[in-house]
């Protein structure tokens, strides 16, 4: 699981009793096993979802079961899937190494390979999961902008999606290690708060901001449909409902995956044993550690499923977002919705290729 508390596990000369450390490692084995199982499930499922279905097709990110598509949003989805996969790979490797009892030795007087692996793997996991939070925020803002025939500056997206996570991860490491690797276990409570806030503040921002942004994006999409056709029939209503459904799914999955981290952090910071042992004895805290070991790895596959959709092949033609057929994305840089199969059923005329919100081109690839 992704917890900033694991950064202090990489320290040396920790003042932890042998019985407490042994008990923590026994519990850690269970958590690591769960993490390995669900990381493996998540990674294999993501590979299945994004694997090219057409022979000779070099573009991995293509699916006919998508809504809210286009080059701008598609590039954000690629980044979202990539950072989640990299984070889960980090979780899988760390759990496998720690399950092999390659823990950092808290009785060492200097750093060794296990300590450096602990440091690198935890920084890796925290960084890419932090990127995941900010790319969720960027996706929501871009969806709103595109629904209003605008788009975010590419440099701004890169800055928010990559450079802010670098700053936050580095700041957390500085707070933990700036006194040296033999003193970071003696973190005071205010410093512990800072470390958890740096990692969990983006989670809170997404949980508060994205519902509002998605709501406004759905309203803008509805207005654009009414403006385009001068009417609002059942066909347009179904499309707007599909957009709202996708937004709801994105939010529900995000909340399910990251609420355990928020609750666990609150319990840890209230626990007197949080600063003195690797895994506290509080049963409620342990329960949320186990829940995090399940929910955090599943972020990758659930995000790929909700953003990407089920693969469309001759054997599997399902659409989890809408009952109507949804086609390929438009070549327009600001295209957000595609209804290539809708015009044939509703009798609506085909819009232009450069239509900012809706495109009907059947054979368009992106």
């Amino acid at each position: 699981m992704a917890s900033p508390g694991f950064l202090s596990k990489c320290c040396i000369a920790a003042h932890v009793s042998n019985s407490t450390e042994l008990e923590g490692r026994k519990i850690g084995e269970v958590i690591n096993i769960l993490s390995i199982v669900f990381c493996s499930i998540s990674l294999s499922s993501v590979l299945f979802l994004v694997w090219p279905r057409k022979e000779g097709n070099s573009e991995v990110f293509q699916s006919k079961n998508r809504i809210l598509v286009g080059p701008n949003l598609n590039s954000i989805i690629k980044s979202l899937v990539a950072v989640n996969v990299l984070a889960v790979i980090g979780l899988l490797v760390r759990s496998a190494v720690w399950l092999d009892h390659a823990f950092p030795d808290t009785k060492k007087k200097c750093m060794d390979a296990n300590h450096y692996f602990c440091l690198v793997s935890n920084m890796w996991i925290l960084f890419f999961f932090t990127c995941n939070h900010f790319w969720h925020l960027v996706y929501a803002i871009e969806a709103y902008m595109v629904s209003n025939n605008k788009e975010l500056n590419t440099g701004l997206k890169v800055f928010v999606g990559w450079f802010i996570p670098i700053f936050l991860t580095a700041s957390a490491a500085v707070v933990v290690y700036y006194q040296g690797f033999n003193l970071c276990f003696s973190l005071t409570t205010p410093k512990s708060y800072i470390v958890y806030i740096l990692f969990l503040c983006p989670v809170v921002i997404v949980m508060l901001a994205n519902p509002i942004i998605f709501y406004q994006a759905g309203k803008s999409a509805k207005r654009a449909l009414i403006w385009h056709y001068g009417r609002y029939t059942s066909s347009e209503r179904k499309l707007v409902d599909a957009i709202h459904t996708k937004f709801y799914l994105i939010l529900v999955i995000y909340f399910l995956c990251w609420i355990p981290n928020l609750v666990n952090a609150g319990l840890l910071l209230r626990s007197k044993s949080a600063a003195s042992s690797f895994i506290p004895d509080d049963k409620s805290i342990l329960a949320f550690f186990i829940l995090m070991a399940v929910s955090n790895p599943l972020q990758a596959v659930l995000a790929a499923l909700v953003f990407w959709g089920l693969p469309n092949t001759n054997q599997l033609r399902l659409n989890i977002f809408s009952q109507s057929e949804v086609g390929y994305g438009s070549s327009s840089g600001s295209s957000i919705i595609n209804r290539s199969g809708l015009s044939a059923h509703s009798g609506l005329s085909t819009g232009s290729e450069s239509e900012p919100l809706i495109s009907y081109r059947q054979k368009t690839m992106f």
Side-chain angles (χ1 to χ4, degrees):
M1 60 283 198
S3 173
F6 279 85
L7 287 174
S8 61
K9 178 62 180 173
C10 308
C11 294
I12 58 177
H15 302 290
V16 182
S17 66
N18 292 332
S19 59
T20 301
E21 186 174 5
L22 180 61
E23 182 66 22
R25 289 185 178 182
K26 288 181 179 179
I27 298 169
E29 287 185 1
V30 176
I31 294 175
N32 286 328
I33 291 173
L34 284 173
S35 182
I36 290 172
V37 170
F38 283 94
C39 283
S40 301
I41 293 173
S42 184
L43 291 175
S44 58
S45 301
V46 171
L47 182 64
F48 170 76
L49 290 173
V50 303
W51 192 262
R53 290 318 195 268
K54 292 183 66 176
E55 185 177 357
N57 180 10
S58 60
E59 175 59 64
V60 173
F61 285 83
Q62 290 184 357
S63 172
K64 290 185 178 180
N65 288 328
R66 298 187 55 201
I67 192 170
L68 302 174
V69 297
N72 292 338
L73 288 172
N74 188 52
S75 65
I76 297 174
I77 293 172
K78 289 180 179 181
S79 297
L80 263 168
V81 174
V83 297
N84 278 304
V85 167
L86 290 171
V88 173
I89 289 174
L91 280 174
L92 178 63
V93 174
R94 186 189 69 184
S95 299
V97 171
W98 283 3
L99 190 62
D100 193 38
H101 301 286
F103 298 104
D105 190 349
T106 57
K107 306 305 179 185
K108 288 278 186 179
K109 299 301 181 182
C110 60
M111 298 282 286
D112 60 11
N114 290 341
H115 289 89
Y116 286 115
F117 170 80
C118 175
L119 175 61
V120 172
S121 61
N122 280 295
M123 293 287 287
W124 175 285
I125 293 166
L126 292 179
F127 169 70
F128 284 111
F129 273 131
T130 303
C131 290
N132 163 68
H133 307 321
F134 281 100
W135 280 115
H136 269 82
L137 181 63
V138 171
Y139 177 88
I141 297 173
E142 183 73 10
Y144 173 76
M145 297 288 287
V146 169
S147 66
N148 288 278
N149 196 22
K150 301 176 182 178
E151 62 181 74
L152 279 176
N153 180 272
T154 301
L156 181 60
K157 288 187 284 189
V158 171
F159 176 78
V160 174
W162 295 108
F163 287 98
I164 293 182
I166 289 176
F167 172 77
L168 293 178
T169 307
S171 298
V174 168
V175 172
V176 175
Y177 300 118
Y178 82 96
Q179 295 185 84
F181 288 95
N182 60 337
L183 295 175
C184 53
F185 263 97
S186 59
L187 285 174
T188 61
T189 300
K191 292 178 182 177
S192 300
Y193 285 160
I194 293 173
V195 174
Y196 278 92
I197 288 172
L198 287 172
F199 180 67
L200 296 176
C201 185
V203 179
V204 176
I205 291 174
V206 172
M207 288 182 175
L208 295 177
N210 278 26
I212 299 173
I213 299 172
F214 281 150
Y215 174 74
Q216 295 297 328
K219 289 177 61 177
S220 297
K222 180 178 178 180
R223 286 196 300 266
L225 285 169
I226 296 174
W227 174 85
H228 184 75
Y229 296 112
R231 63 183 182 181
Y232 189 66
T233 64
S234 59
S235 297
E236 287 76 27
R237 188 177 298 107
K238 286 181 179 179
L239 184 57
V240 172
D241 289 343
I243 294 171
H244 287 158
T245 299
K246 178 165 185 177
F247 288 157
Y248 293 149
L249 287 174
I250 292 173
L251 293 173
V252 167
I253 287 173
Y254 188 85
F255 273 72
L256 288 176
C257 289
W258 294 103
I259 279 182
N261 294 69
L262 293 177
V263 177
N264 181 73
L267 294 174
L268 274 172
L269 294 176
R270 289 181 57 187
S271 173
K272 294 182 180 180
S273 60
S276 61
S277 65
F278 172 45
I279 299 180
D281 296 329
D282 193 308
K283 291 183 180 180
S284 60
I285 295 177
L286 294 177
F288 276 98
F289 266 111
I290 294 174
L291 188 57
M292 288 162 58
V294 175
S295 63
N296 292 170
L298 290 180
Q299 167 72 70
V301 61
L302 294 177
L305 185 63
V306 71
F307 282 105
W308 190 246
L310 292 171
N312 192 351
T313 65
N314 291 331
Q315 294 77 28
L316 182 59
R317 295 185 177 276
L318 300 175
N319 187 348
I320 64 171
F321 301 133
S322 173
Q323 295 180 351
S324 61
E325 181 182 355
V326 180
Y328 281 110
S330 165
S331 60
S332 171
S334 58
S335 174
I336 184 172
I337 304 171
N338 183 286
R339 300 191 302 172
S340 57
L342 187 59
S343 58
H345 298 289
S346 62
L348 298 175
S349 60
T350 299
S352 69
E353 178 183 348
S354 60
E355 167 63 37
L357 184 67
I358 304 171
S359 173
Y360 296 95
R361 277 186 54 179
Q362 182 79 23
K363 297 181 180 181
T364 301
M365 298 287 188
F366 55 92

